[in-house]
């Protein structure tokens, strides 16, 4: 993975257009059921954001690429579930992972629209919750009322730590403790939300088995 990221960063540093497309696809593919749990989208976004301080990429297009990719990915997954209803949960490729589908369903039933918000910050879960929300009848208004704000928080939470870290490293050759504080605060908040979501995701596994 490290070698892949090094090559990707080197390529992106000389081809900004392809870099923005990569950011867009990384965010979009993370929302695809099953496939999204295998795509290291968050890692790619964080790595490429480090090119912003050096001028190879611009901050606004980086944020926009990630946010738009996430919105289209989540939205497409939701609309597929909304159109197909519950039968999509038993169709291929979802049918190959009945336990994950059951855990996603239990997680959503317990927290409803707020499960959509939490799932956006947890890679393994975000690949299942949007399609599940659509399949179980969450209205479009309620889905996007939570999903859009979540994406608007998720994109900066993934981009800005990389930008800040790269900026301070360029300035001083190393980051002092107070430079780390904003990064640490953002990471801790994201990890806390992820830990909560994973905790209930695992509980959903037991509930799904007992249902």
């Amino acid at each position: 993975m490290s070698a892949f990221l090094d090559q990707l960063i080197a390529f992106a540093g000389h081809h900004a257009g392809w870099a923005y497309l990569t950011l867009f696809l990384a965010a979009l593919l993370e929302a695809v059921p099953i496939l999204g749990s295998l795509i290291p989208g968050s890692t790619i976004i964080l790595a490429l954001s480090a090119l912003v301080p050096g001028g190879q990429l611009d901050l606004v297009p980086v944020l926009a690429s990630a946010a738009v990719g996430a919105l289209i990915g989540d939205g497409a997954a939701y609309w597929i579930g909304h159109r197909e209803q519950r039968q999509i949960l038993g169709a291929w490729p979802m049918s190959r992972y009945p336990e994950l589908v059951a855990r996603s369903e239990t997680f959503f039933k317990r927290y409803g629209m707020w499960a959509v918000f939490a799932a956006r910050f947890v890679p393994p879960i975000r690949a299942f919750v949007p399609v599940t929300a659509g399949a179980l009848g969450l209205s479009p208004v309620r889905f996007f009322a939570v999903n859009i704000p979540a994406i608007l928080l998720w994109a900066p939470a993934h981009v800005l730590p990389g930008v800040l870290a790269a900026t301070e490293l360029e300035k001083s050759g190393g980051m002092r403790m107070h430079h780390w504080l904003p990064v640490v605060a953002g990471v801790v908040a994201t990890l806390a939300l992820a830990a909560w979501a994973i905790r209930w995701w695992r509980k959903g596994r037991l509930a799904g088995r007992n249902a």
Side-chain angles (χ1 to χ4, degrees), residues 65-88:
S65 297
V68 172
L71 180 60
I72 293 177
D74 285 358
Y78 167 79
W79 282 112
I80 290 172
H82 185 70
R83 183 185 65 186
E84 300 296 332
Q85 299 297 306
R86 287 193 63 92
Q87 64 184 14
I88 190 64

Side-chain angles (χ1 to χ4, degrees), residues 85-174:
Q85 299 297 306
R86 287 193 63 92
Q87 64 184 14
I88 190 64
L89 300 181
W92 187 91
M94 305 284 279
S95 60
R96 297 186 59 186
Y97 303 88
E99 183 176 336
L100 292 177
V101 172
R103 288 159 64 182
S104 178
E105 185 172 345
T106 301
F107 184 68
F108 175 76
K109 285 181 176 178
R110 185 178 184 99
Y111 294 103
M113 58 191 294
W114 297 111
V116 175
F117 185 95
R120 171 85 320 249
F121 295 86
V122 187
I125 300 177
R126 79 169 65 113
F128 291 91
V129 169
V131 68
T132 301
L136 297 184
L138 184 67
S139 71
V141 171
R142 297 186 70 191
F143 176 82
F144 288 105
V146 173
N147 182 244
I148 291 175
I151 289 173
L152 294 178
L153 291 175
W154 168 85
H158 280 66
V159 170
L160 296 183
V163 173
L164 178 60
T167 298
E168 294 302 333
L169 285 171
E170 284 191 359
K171 286 182 178 179
S172 63

Side-chain angles (χ1 to χ4, degrees), residues 189-203:
T190 300
L191 289 178
L193 180 60
W196 171 83
I198 291 173
R199 175 191 175 197
W200 290 111
W201 178 259
R202 289 175 175 172
K203 283 190 175 182

